[in-house]
Amino acid sequence: MQRAKIVCTLGPASDDRGTIRRLADAGMSVARLNASHGTTDERAELLSRVQAADEATADPLAAMIDLRGPEVRTATIAEPIRLPTGSTVRFIKGETATSETVGLSHSIAAVEPGDTVLLDDGRIETTVERVDGETVIARVDSGGAVGSREGVTPRGVDLGLDLIDDEDREDLRLAAEHGADFVAASFVGDAADVYEVVDTLESFGGTETAVVAKIERGRAIENLDGIIDAADGVMVARGDLGVECPLEDVPLIQKRIIRRCVDAGIPVITATEMLDSMVSARRPTRAEASDVANAVFDGTDAVMLSAETAAGDYPVEAVETMARIVRRIEASGEYAATRDERVPAAKAGARTEALARSARYLARDIDATAIVVVSESGYTARRTAKFRPPVPVVAVTPDDRVRRQLAVAWGIDARYASYSTDIDAILETAVAKATAAGVAESGDTIVVLSGMIAGVAGTDATNTLKVHTVAERLATGRGVVSGRSAGPLVRTDDGDLSGVQSGAIVALPAGFDGEFDGDVTNIGGIVAVDEGLTGYPAIIARELDVPMVSGATVPAAVEEGADITVDGDRAVVYEGDVVSRRTNGTETSVRDR
């Protein structure tokens, strides 16, 4: 199971229904709709296609609307223009662009002579020579081609732009009214900016839409802890970070943001140019493969593709390539060692975190195949992911939006289950979902963690952590002698034990009133149709100290010699051997008392 998820930006190369489905099949967990391109109406149509793809796929597919925010972009143009190195260029607010005059979405007249203005993620660098009213005249220090709607960054200059403009407000309305799972807030500087986005969403009824804060300014790094506390997730937007900050600082900033997000237990997405060469090539560079690998080693919840899937020639191949890199790294011993060395501490006084951390180590110590989390809001599931358990995590939730929002969280396979007011039914459904996910089968041990669920007796004020054996229940009766034992089924109507192998589970019919004939020490357990605690079979079971269940009938469909398990503690008979333990690579059947 792949732990780190993949976020894909949709665009002209990938915004049709067929390609969206192929991206999802290739490994896309979150579809990003970039509001810097296209119209709100176009995004509404695209959001509908993403939601239709989610309904058609088994794995959750979430939708994220990435706001423009207070950004400056070049004018919309049909063909790129060139800014030659050494030339002079004029920046104005306008809707056209030439090699001499570049129109921008906002005025940058707040700059001063000597300031640096960068275009296209810093690929083009200019220095301001003078400001004439609303016109900025600059020298091109490092030239190149400028395309339509390219980002423009006056380094270190506050242009005084509103965090949310009218276009952003319409996109927030779209997210709230059409059920987008995430909104990515661009160019936030502190927690107050995050809360402004949250408040605007709520004013449109979007109380359940999660807000991802994009870290792309130096001021945001200074206020990182407050932003993490305020946001539902964080994106390391390395393109703008590399423009705002010295290039050599970006790898360190990335690692620090990821570490702090993991410690806080909120999802973190690593973004920008991860497989950039695949915009026009079928294979990434080795450096790009290493970039993805390092983000996975750092512990990121998700890695993101931008132009590779939005406008590239090979969008599906880019996702397939990224998924292969992620899976290869996660399967390595180096990754396991790094993951186990970085398990954060549980927050003091936080019961859910303490239980989630305990579940991680409990699963390791008992050789469980999975952790199954029952989570109404997703909180308990995200707390479990925080501690990066070494086994798959299956989260079961009655809220379909929570199912999709968990698609960005590390290591979580989110599944929908209808709401129930009975905790036993909920847990039974959760185990069934784990089996359906392929992470557990009959005989496996799993750890089950349940969060607080409104309206369910016994869960409204407590969390539950339990160890569960996955098995098909054949019969339920009354426990006579405790303990668990597994072995081949032997049916005897008259008590004849000749030829019975050691450890056999003996099933007795209704009305059995005889005695055993043969070596009773070969009996590993007894199942009797007749109820009773004092009859001959019960006496033998106590003398041999083997588990016995009375008042239970093994179905006729179970073949003679098939392995079954008698659990005297729970008074249940299970299909198969559910008490075996793996030791040094070999299976050993044991009594579990």
Side-chain angles (χ1 to χ4, degrees), residues 13 16 32 108 112 119 220 228 239 273 287 296 389 399 416 476 494 496 514 522 570:
D16 61 282
R32 172 180 175 250
I108 60 169
E112 297 179 352
L119 293 82
I228 288 174
E273 297 179 344
V296 175
D399 189 317
Y416 174 82
T476 302
D494 57 5
D496 182 11
N522 286 332
R570 293 184 174 88

PDB file of all heavy atoms in Angstrom, residues 13 16 32 108 112 119 220 228 239 273 287 296 389 399 416 476 494 496 514 522 570:
ATOM      1  N   ALA A  13      -4.358  19.605 -20.580  1.00  0.00           N
ATOM      2  CA  ALA A  13      -3.896  18.251 -20.917  1.00  0.00           C
ATOM      3  C   ALA A  13      -4.641  17.167 -20.159  1.00  0.00           C
ATOM      4  O   ALA A  13      -4.455  15.978 -20.447  1.00  0.00           O
ATOM      5  CB  ALA A  13      -2.391  18.135 -20.635  1.00  0.00           C
ATOM      6  N   ASP A  16     -10.453  16.519 -19.183  1.00  0.00           N
ATOM      7  CA  ASP A  16     -11.599  15.769 -19.684  1.00  0.00           C
ATOM      8  C   ASP A  16     -11.865  14.566 -18.777  1.00  0.00           C
ATOM      9  O   ASP A  16     -10.986  14.119 -18.032  1.00  0.00           O
ATOM     10  CB  ASP A  16     -11.348  15.303 -21.113  1.00  0.00           C
ATOM     11  CG  ASP A  16     -10.156  14.380 -21.213  1.00  0.00           C
ATOM     12  OD1 ASP A  16      -9.010  14.883 -21.183  1.00  0.00           O
ATOM     13  OD2 ASP A  16     -10.339  13.148 -21.272  1.00  0.00           O
ATOM     14  N   ARG A  32      -6.212  19.034  -8.200  1.00  0.00           N
ATOM     15  CA  ARG A  32      -6.048  20.459  -7.904  1.00  0.00           C
ATOM     16  C   ARG A  32      -6.565  21.284  -9.069  1.00  0.00           C
ATOM     17  O   ARG A  32      -6.165  21.090 -10.222  1.00  0.00           O
ATOM     18  CB  ARG A  32      -4.575  20.772  -7.651  1.00  0.00           C
ATOM     19  CG  ARG A  32      -4.245  22.263  -7.513  1.00  0.00           C
ATOM     20  CD  ARG A  32      -2.764  22.455  -7.261  1.00  0.00           C
ATOM     21  NE  ARG A  32      -2.361  23.854  -7.243  1.00  0.00           N
ATOM     22  CZ  ARG A  32      -1.615  24.440  -8.194  1.00  0.00           C
ATOM     23  NH1 ARG A  32      -1.185  23.714  -9.233  1.00  0.00           N
ATOM     24  NH2 ARG A  32      -1.290  25.705  -8.114  1.00  0.00           N
ATOM     25  N   ILE A 108       2.773  47.353  -9.804  1.00  0.00           N
ATOM     26  CA  ILE A 108       3.874  47.074  -8.870  1.00  0.00           C
ATOM     27  C   ILE A 108       4.653  48.359  -8.575  1.00  0.00           C
ATOM     28  O   ILE A 108       5.852  48.328  -8.250  1.00  0.00           O
ATOM     29  CB  ILE A 108       4.818  45.983  -9.410  1.00  0.00           C
ATOM     30  CG1 ILE A 108       5.449  46.401 -10.752  1.00  0.00           C
ATOM     31  CG2 ILE A 108       4.079  44.661  -9.553  1.00  0.00           C
ATOM     32  CD1 ILE A 108       6.586  45.467 -11.194  1.00  0.00           C
ATOM     33  N   GLU A 112      10.983  50.256  -5.531  1.00  0.00           N
ATOM     34  CA  GLU A 112      11.901  51.381  -5.570  1.00  0.00           C
ATOM     35  C   GLU A 112      13.111  51.014  -6.419  1.00  0.00           C
ATOM     36  O   GLU A 112      13.380  49.826  -6.653  1.00  0.00           O
ATOM     37  CB  GLU A 112      12.361  51.742  -4.154  1.00  0.00           C
ATOM     38  CG  GLU A 112      11.227  52.207  -3.243  1.00  0.00           C
ATOM     39  CD  GLU A 112      11.714  52.524  -1.834  1.00  0.00           C
ATOM     40  OE1 GLU A 112      12.905  52.233  -1.543  1.00  0.00           O
ATOM     41  OE2 GLU A 112      10.919  53.049  -1.039  1.00  0.00           O
ATOM     42  N   LEU A 119      10.241  37.059 -12.703  1.00  0.00           N
ATOM     43  CA  LEU A 119       9.128  36.516 -13.471  1.00  0.00           C
ATOM     44  C   LEU A 119       9.325  35.022 -13.649  1.00  0.00           C
ATOM     45  O   LEU A 119      10.456  34.526 -13.686  1.00  0.00           O
ATOM     46  CB  LEU A 119       9.032  37.180 -14.854  1.00  0.00           C
ATOM     47  CG  LEU A 119       8.649  38.671 -14.921  1.00  0.00           C
ATOM     48  CD1 LEU A 119       9.848  39.561 -14.679  1.00  0.00           C
ATOM     49  CD2 LEU A 119       8.020  38.988 -16.280  1.00  0.00           C
ATOM     50  N   ALA A 220       5.519  34.012   5.987  1.00  0.00           N
ATOM     51  CA  ALA A 220       4.814  32.795   6.398  1.00  0.00           C
ATOM     52  C   ALA A 220       5.749  31.859   7.150  1.00  0.00           C
ATOM     53  O   ALA A 220       5.334  31.178   8.100  1.00  0.00           O
ATOM     54  CB  ALA A 220       4.234  32.086   5.179  1.00  0.00           C
ATOM     55  N   ILE A 228       0.194  26.689  11.093  1.00  0.00           N
ATOM     56  CA  ILE A 228      -0.084  25.258  11.253  1.00  0.00           C
ATOM     57  C   ILE A 228      -1.246  25.046  12.211  1.00  0.00           C
ATOM     58  O   ILE A 228      -2.117  24.199  11.984  1.00  0.00           O
ATOM     59  CB  ILE A 228       1.185  24.523  11.740  1.00  0.00           C
ATOM     60  CG1 ILE A 228       2.216  24.443  10.606  1.00  0.00           C
ATOM     61  CG2 ILE A 228       0.841  23.118  12.246  1.00  0.00           C
ATOM     62  CD1 ILE A 228       3.546  23.860  11.022  1.00  0.00           C
ATOM     63  N   GLY A 239       8.105  26.829  -5.546  1.00  0.00           N
ATOM     64  CA  GLY A 239       8.373  27.771  -6.625  1.00  0.00           C
ATOM     65  C   GLY A 239       8.492  29.187  -6.123  1.00  0.00           C
ATOM     66  O   GLY A 239       9.499  29.871  -6.346  1.00  0.00           O
ATOM     67  N   GLU A 273       7.524  21.576  -9.516  1.00  0.00           N
ATOM     68  CA  GLU A 273       8.610  21.108 -10.384  1.00  0.00           C
ATOM     69  C   GLU A 273       9.214  19.779  -9.951  1.00  0.00           C
ATOM     70  O   GLU A 273      10.398  19.542 -10.143  1.00  0.00           O
ATOM     71  CB  GLU A 273       9.709  22.170 -10.471  1.00  0.00           C
ATOM     72  CG  GLU A 273       9.252  23.466 -11.105  1.00  0.00           C
ATOM     73  CD  GLU A 273      10.354  24.509 -11.162  1.00  0.00           C
ATOM     74  OE1 GLU A 273      11.370  24.358 -10.454  1.00  0.00           O
ATOM     75  OE2 GLU A 273      10.194  25.477 -11.922  1.00  0.00           O
ATOM     76  N   ALA A 287      17.788  13.612 -11.142  1.00  0.00           N
ATOM     77  CA  ALA A 287      17.681  14.588 -10.050  1.00  0.00           C
ATOM     78  C   ALA A 287      16.230  14.749  -9.608  1.00  0.00           C
ATOM     79  O   ALA A 287      15.940  14.881  -8.415  1.00  0.00           O
ATOM     80  CB  ALA A 287      18.258  15.934 -10.494  1.00  0.00           C
ATOM     81  N   VAL A 296       9.668  12.104   0.150  1.00  0.00           N
ATOM     82  CA  VAL A 296       9.084  10.930   0.811  1.00  0.00           C
ATOM     83  C   VAL A 296       9.891  10.578   2.053  1.00  0.00           C
ATOM     84  O   VAL A 296       9.336  10.286   3.117  1.00  0.00           O
ATOM     85  CB  VAL A 296       9.020   9.739  -0.172  1.00  0.00           C
ATOM     86  CG1 VAL A 296       8.534   8.481   0.540  1.00  0.00           C
ATOM     87  CG2 VAL A 296       8.103  10.070  -1.346  1.00  0.00           C
ATOM     88  N   PRO A 389       2.586   4.658  11.397  1.00  0.00           N
ATOM     89  CA  PRO A 389       2.669   3.235  11.745  1.00  0.00           C
ATOM     90  C   PRO A 389       3.252   2.417  10.594  1.00  0.00           C
ATOM     91  O   PRO A 389       3.096   2.772   9.426  1.00  0.00           O
ATOM     92  CB  PRO A 389       1.214   2.850  12.030  1.00  0.00           C
ATOM     93  CG  PRO A 389       0.397   3.891  11.364  1.00  0.00           C
ATOM     94  CD  PRO A 389       1.190   5.146  11.380  1.00  0.00           C
ATOM     95  N   ASP A 399     -19.018   9.611   6.898  1.00  0.00           N
ATOM     96  CA  ASP A 399     -19.102  10.909   6.219  1.00  0.00           C
ATOM     97  C   ASP A 399     -18.287  10.836   4.933  1.00  0.00           C
ATOM     98  O   ASP A 399     -17.060  10.686   4.964  1.00  0.00           O
ATOM     99  CB  ASP A 399     -18.561  12.004   7.143  1.00  0.00           C
ATOM    100  CG  ASP A 399     -18.822  13.400   6.597  1.00  0.00           C
ATOM    101  OD1 ASP A 399     -18.635  13.601   5.379  1.00  0.00           O
ATOM    102  OD2 ASP A 399     -19.175  14.304   7.383  1.00  0.00           O
ATOM    103  N   TYR A 416     -15.846   4.318   3.088  1.00  0.00           N
ATOM    104  CA  TYR A 416     -17.146   4.780   3.585  1.00  0.00           C
ATOM    105  C   TYR A 416     -17.931   3.614   4.174  1.00  0.00           C
ATOM    106  O   TYR A 416     -17.919   2.503   3.639  1.00  0.00           O
ATOM    107  CB  TYR A 416     -17.956   5.415   2.463  1.00  0.00           C
ATOM    108  CG  TYR A 416     -19.362   5.774   2.871  1.00  0.00           C
ATOM    109  CD1 TYR A 416     -19.620   6.954   3.562  1.00  0.00           C
ATOM    110  CD2 TYR A 416     -20.420   4.927   2.581  1.00  0.00           C
ATOM    111  CE1 TYR A 416     -20.911   7.282   3.948  1.00  0.00           C
ATOM    112  CE2 TYR A 416     -21.715   5.244   2.961  1.00  0.00           C
ATOM    113  CZ  TYR A 416     -21.955   6.416   3.656  1.00  0.00           C
ATOM    114  OH  TYR A 416     -23.226   6.734   4.053  1.00  0.00           O
ATOM    115  N   THR A 476     -21.843 -19.733  17.551  1.00  0.00           N
ATOM    116  CA  THR A 476     -21.741 -19.085  18.860  1.00  0.00           C
ATOM    117  C   THR A 476     -22.518 -19.931  19.867  1.00  0.00           C
ATOM    118  O   THR A 476     -23.610 -20.429  19.563  1.00  0.00           O
ATOM    119  CB  THR A 476     -22.317 -17.669  18.820  1.00  0.00           C
ATOM    120  OG1 THR A 476     -21.629 -16.910  17.833  1.00  0.00           O
ATOM    121  CG2 THR A 476     -22.171 -16.977  20.165  1.00  0.00           C
ATOM    122  N   ASP A 494     -20.177 -41.243  18.009  1.00  0.00           N
ATOM    123  CA  ASP A 494     -20.135 -42.228  19.105  1.00  0.00           C
ATOM    124  C   ASP A 494     -18.916 -42.085  19.998  1.00  0.00           C
ATOM    125  O   ASP A 494     -18.678 -42.917  20.869  1.00  0.00           O
ATOM    126  CB  ASP A 494     -20.194 -43.641  18.519  1.00  0.00           C
ATOM    127  CG  ASP A 494     -19.061 -43.902  17.529  1.00  0.00           C
ATOM    128  OD1 ASP A 494     -18.180 -43.010  17.372  1.00  0.00           O
ATOM    129  OD2 ASP A 494     -19.063 -44.979  16.905  1.00  0.00           O
ATOM    130  N   ASP A 496     -15.702 -42.205  18.971  1.00  0.00           N
ATOM    131  CA  ASP A 496     -14.540 -42.932  18.450  1.00  0.00           C
ATOM    132  C   ASP A 496     -13.449 -41.943  18.058  1.00  0.00           C
ATOM    133  O   ASP A 496     -13.642 -41.084  17.194  1.00  0.00           O
ATOM    134  CB  ASP A 496     -14.969 -43.778  17.251  1.00  0.00           C
ATOM    135  CG  ASP A 496     -13.812 -44.605  16.689  1.00  0.00           C
ATOM    136  OD1 ASP A 496     -12.758 -44.676  17.357  1.00  0.00           O
ATOM    137  OD2 ASP A 496     -13.977 -45.158  15.580  1.00  0.00           O
ATOM    138  N   GLY A 514     -22.367 -40.659  25.164  1.00  0.00           N
ATOM    139  CA  GLY A 514     -21.378 -41.710  25.324  1.00  0.00           C
ATOM    140  C   GLY A 514     -20.085 -41.192  25.928  1.00  0.00           C
ATOM    141  O   GLY A 514     -20.042 -40.117  26.548  1.00  0.00           O
ATOM    142  N   ASN A 522      -5.227 -36.462  22.299  1.00  0.00           N
ATOM    143  CA  ASN A 522      -5.160 -35.866  20.961  1.00  0.00           C
ATOM    144  C   ASN A 522      -6.184 -34.764  20.764  1.00  0.00           C
ATOM    145  O   ASN A 522      -6.146 -34.037  19.767  1.00  0.00           O
ATOM    146  CB  ASN A 522      -5.381 -36.944  19.886  1.00  0.00           C
ATOM    147  CG  ASN A 522      -4.164 -37.837  19.721  1.00  0.00           C
ATOM    148  OD1 ASN A 522      -3.039 -37.418  19.974  1.00  0.00           O
ATOM    149  ND2 ASN A 522      -4.393 -39.079  19.298  1.00  0.00           N
ATOM    150  N   ARG A 570     -14.671 -16.322  24.316  1.00  0.00           N
ATOM    151  CA  ARG A 570     -15.752 -15.606  23.637  1.00  0.00           C
ATOM    152  C   ARG A 570     -16.926 -16.527  23.307  1.00  0.00           C
ATOM    153  O   ARG A 570     -17.942 -16.061  22.806  1.00  0.00           O
ATOM    154  CB  ARG A 570     -15.219 -14.965  22.346  1.00  0.00           C
ATOM    155  CG  ARG A 570     -14.211 -13.854  22.588  1.00  0.00           C
ATOM    156  CD  ARG A 570     -13.799 -13.211  21.264  1.00  0.00           C
ATOM    157  NE  ARG A 570     -12.947 -12.047  21.468  1.00  0.00           N
ATOM    158  CZ  ARG A 570     -11.628 -12.102  21.578  1.00  0.00           C
ATOM    159  NH1 ARG A 570     -11.014 -13.280  21.498  1.00  0.00           N
ATOM    160  NH2 ARG A 570     -10.917 -11.021  21.772  1.00  0.00           N
TER     161      ARG A 570
END
